[in-house]
Amino acid sequence: MNIRTILRRLPALAVTAAIAWTTGCGIETEVTGITADKDISRPDLMHVLAHGANLELSHMHLINYAHFTAAATDEITNGYNSSGSYRRRAVNQYHNRPDWVYSQANESGWVAAYAAERMTDVNEANGTDPSTDPLIAHMRINSALAYQWLAEGQCVACVNWGPEGGELLKGSGDIYDPGNVVDSDSIMTMAITWAEMGGTVAQAAISAGRLNEYEPGFEHFIPENSLYASYAIQAMGYLWLEDYAKADEFAAKVPVDWAWHMYSHEENTWRNRWVYYSNQWALTTVWGSSIGTTFRDVEDPRIPWTVCGEYKEGLTVGGRRRSSSEYDRYTTNPGCQTYNYYGRYRTYDGDLPHYIQRKYSSWDDELVMLSGQEMKLVRAEVALRNGNLGAFTGYINDVRSYHGLDPIDVPATAGALEYPNAEDDAWSILDRESLFTLWLDSRRYANFRRWEHPFWTGGHYKTPDEALDNAGQHRPKYMRADGSLDWCMPLPDGEECNINPLVRETQWCQRLYEPGGG
């Protein structure tokens, strides 16, 4: 795996070095840069090294993770066969895309770890205190985020704790283990460890007065933001581990108006993948998702979308590559012309009407990775689990108030999750508010796994057109064969199953369908 240019903001410097780093079970990563290794020892370039690490993390998020998880959690419908199976929750390996997510999570975690170690060396060599460096705090947060996403998506993964990564929960207990297969809980605990370290450095930076030292105003270099990010990651980590008291404790530390955005300076169409997938190419559509069906008539600023095309009245849903004559076009509706270069009224494959998302309407819109609003939802869930419907309602209304929405009344009962959502009890309300608040932000996949969401367990994950789903679209090439409810992304063939004896014969690499099979 070759990590993309780590210091791509310094084009004048020569390419002279490659720094080998070990990730996971014997996978070698090369951190190749456009700068000499000696220059990565200059204090004035450490913030540029941080930008390079940021790009690794954003690249992991941008390479389909956002739309894969949104399709699997009923936030969007894929209208293109390369990812259509994600809408059915049968996670495949078409074009090796799960490999991209898996490998990039490892890469971004390790690049941030390397950057923090190099920054520590540079601080010490120049007589400054690394324990108060805001950049190091930020790099710890990047590692934590990478492993949080890995835990949320995988049932198991092959990871390497590495320098300062915390003791292994499973296995020998050594601090450094070059090849260890661990479960989601262990990976999430690793994320918590990195978040704790980031929070410690961020707090020290604040106490030392190093508040806006690098690129004034840039959110990721401000230690207060790293501290809030540390709290948010720990809150979600402890929620995952079912330590609800700690989840509530850390979520309470984050203000509702705070957010940590995905960072990218890349001047191309990767920098906001939702604009690329939805607005420009119509590879995804709101049609058929819960937003476009159950909540079609809801007006809420958190879920903006527009109809750009619709099936003609009386048309029976079904079939492939529909004729343009079978659609009514509404491409002059607000938002339908934004980056929609071809005035698309149907999805790219021609099958589905194009309902365009408008939450992210510009290439420059930064995707939300962590937020105080999600922390309110964490607290609401904890209150609900504790039977405190009054507190639950208060946290829900904090989020609604932030968006200028009317408060809800205290629900009569806790109830249970259901699909479609009936909105008639506390669990249904939590599900709805989670959907609206976190829409398209890659934050619902973890909830669906934890909750064993009925969208998955009830078999509702097929597209609304079941005949099209069964007959027309590609069957998944690979998927988990054990039938458990712990729904996970598969281990990739190219980087684990084909080469790693630790997992090759396990259920995580079993094939249910052979390539080309029906």
Side-chain angles (χ1 to χ4, degrees):
M1 296 181 292
N2 290 319
I3 294 182
R4 292 148 195 86
T5 309
I6 189 71
L7 292 174
R8 52 183 82 191
R9 296 182 72 196
L10 291 180
L13 298 177
V15 179
T16 61
I19 304 161
W21 211 250
T22 306
T23 70
C25 301
I27 301 173
E28 181 177 275
T29 297
E30 290 185 349
V31 183
T32 56
I34 55 173
T35 184
D37 182 62
K38 64 180 177 62
D39 288 319
I40 310 179
S41 298
R42 288 169 46 186
D44 60 315
L45 295 187
M46 291 301 97
H47 72 290
V48 184
L49 181 61
H51 280 303
N54 281 340
L55 288 171
E56 285 298 325
L57 189 67
S58 66
H59 199 67
M60 178 262 172
H61 194 278
L62 287 170
I63 299 182
N64 302 305
Y65 184 78
H67 98 278
F68 281 173
T69 56
T73 55
D74 199 33
E75 298 174 44
I76 208 81
T77 300
N78 282 317
Y80 191 54
N81 58 30
S82 68
S83 54
S85 61
Y86 270 78
R87 180 67 175 84
R88 301 194 303 275
R89 232 312 305 161
V91 181
N92 68 11
Q93 294 185 340
Y94 189 98
H95 289 169
N96 292 320
R97 291 186 178 188
D99 295 43
W100 296 356
V101 172
Y102 182 90
S103 63
Q104 195 63 29
N106 276 293
E107 282 188 13
S108 55
W110 270 99
V111 168
Y114 159 75
E117 188 166 314
R118 177 56 63 96
M119 291 169 185
T120 297
D121 293 342
V122 171
N123 269 279
E124 291 174 347
N126 288 273
T128 52
D129 185 1
S131 70
T132 65
D133 190 340
L135 295 182
I136 293 177
H138 173 39
M139 292 300 94
R140 301 302 193 201
I141 296 304
N142 274 16
S143 289
L145 279 169
Y147 293 119
Q148 175 198 326
W149 290 341
L150 193 64
E152 291 175 348
Q154 305 290 152
C155 280
V156 298
C158 189
V159 298
N160 188 331
W161 258 229
E164 300 181 294
E167 292 187 0
L168 295 172
L169 290 186
K170 308 290 173 66
S172 66
D174 295 336
I175 291 179
Y176 182 89
D177 186 339
N180 198 45
V181 178
V182 295
D183 61 16
S184 299
D185 288 357
S186 294
I187 304 167
M188 188 62 80
T189 301
M190 181 179 180
I192 291 173
T193 298
W194 286 105
E196 288 173 343
M197 291 190 293
T200 298
V201 178
Q203 186 66 71
I206 294 170
S207 298
R210 301 180 69 175
L211 304 180
N212 209 4
E213 184 172 317
Y214 302 98
E215 297 188 27
F218 179 59
E219 66 175 285
H220 287 184
F221 294 169
I222 297 173
E224 183 180 44
N225 286 329
S226 292
L227 184 61
Y228 287 145
S230 168
Y231 295 152
I233 295 167
Q234 290 180 77
M236 291 183 293
Y238 285 118
L239 190 69
W240 179 275
L241 297 173
E242 300 182 359
D243 188 336
Y244 299 121
K246 282 191 175 180
D248 186 71
E249 173 190 344
F250 283 103
K253 297 175 184 287
V254 183
V256 69
D257 61 351
W258 174 86
W260 181 277
H261 298 91
M262 191 193 73
Y263 163 84
S264 177
H265 270 333
E266 293 182 279
E267 294 300 322
N268 56 40
T269 56
W270 288 87
R271 70 185 188 272
N272 191 302
R273 208 59 172 150
W274 279 122
V275 174
Y276 177 87
Y277 276 120
S278 178
N279 301 46
Q280 183 175 7
W281 290 106
L283 301 178
T284 62
T285 175
V286 176
W287 181 92
S289 71
S290 57
I291 299 294
T293 55
T294 303
F295 301 109
R296 182 186 177 97
D297 297 325
V298 173
E299 293 187 9
D300 191 301
R302 295 171 290 181
I303 51 170
W305 60 281
T306 298
V307 173
C308 300
E310 189 63 274
Y311 289 135
K312 285 190 177 296
E313 185 176 356
L315 185 66
T316 301
V317 178
R320 296 280 292 171
R321 303 297 298 181
R322 292 185 176 281
S323 166
S324 60
S325 65
E326 296 178 291
Y327 289 90
D328 289 324
R329 307 185 189 191
Y330 303 103
T331 52
T332 59
N333 283 348
C336 291
Q337 297 296 325
T338 306
Y339 298 109
N340 191 351
Y341 298 152
Y342 301 96
R344 296 190 185 279
Y345 54 91
R346 56 181 176 174
T347 52
Y348 183 83
D349 57 9
D351 293 340
L352 307 175
H354 186 26
Y355 294 3
I356 195 169
Q357 67 80 28
R358 297 175 62 195
K359 180 173 183 175
Y360 296 108
S361 58
S362 167
W363 295 121
D364 297 320
D365 288 344
E366 296 286 5
L367 299 170
V368 176
M369 295 193 292
L370 302 167
S371 72
Q373 296 173 64
E374 185 173 13
M375 295 302 100
K376 290 293 185 179
L377 295 174
V378 169
R379 301 200 73 189
E381 180 178 339
V382 173
L384 176 54
R385 290 183 179 278
N386 290 335
N388 190 338
L389 296 184
F392 162 83
T393 305
Y395 297 133
I396 293 295
N397 284 335
D398 286 342
V399 177
R400 294 179 61 84
S401 175
Y402 179 77
H403 290 280
L405 297 165
D406 292 336
I408 64 169
D409 296 329
V410 178
T413 62
L417 293 169
E418 67 241 321
Y419 188 89
N421 192 323
E423 306 176 76
D424 58 355
D425 53 48
W427 273 106
S428 300
I429 291 169
L430 177 63
D431 190 25
R432 179 196 67 199
E433 295 297 309
S434 169
L435 170 64
F436 289 7
T437 304
L438 307 177
W439 189 48
L440 306 183
D441 289 341
S442 308
R443 299 303 317 133
R444 296 256 292 163
Y445 199 88
N447 286 347
F448 271 46
R449 283 186 65 191
R450 291 190 305 106
W451 294 345
E452 295 185 0
H453 196 284
F455 177 67
W456 288 355
T457 61
H460 301 289
Y461 46 83
K462 291 182 179 294
T463 59
D465 178 4
E466 190 163 331
L468 171 66
D469 186 59
N470 289 334
Q473 296 193 22
H474 292 272
R475 294 292 295 275
K477 295 179 181 178
Y478 315 97
M479 61 180 287
R480 285 192 44 216
D482 69 344
S484 77
L485 296 179
D486 199 6
W487 300 57
C488 314
M489 294 184 182
L491 288 177
D493 266 13
E495 295 173 358
E496 291 295 355
C497 293
N498 288 342
I499 62 175
N500 183 358
L502 293 175
V503 297
R504 185 182 298 143
E505 303 301 325
T506 69
Q507 64 179 355
W508 313 110
C509 291
Q510 290 177 4
R511 297 180 179 182
L512 186 58
Y513 300 115
E514 292 298 322

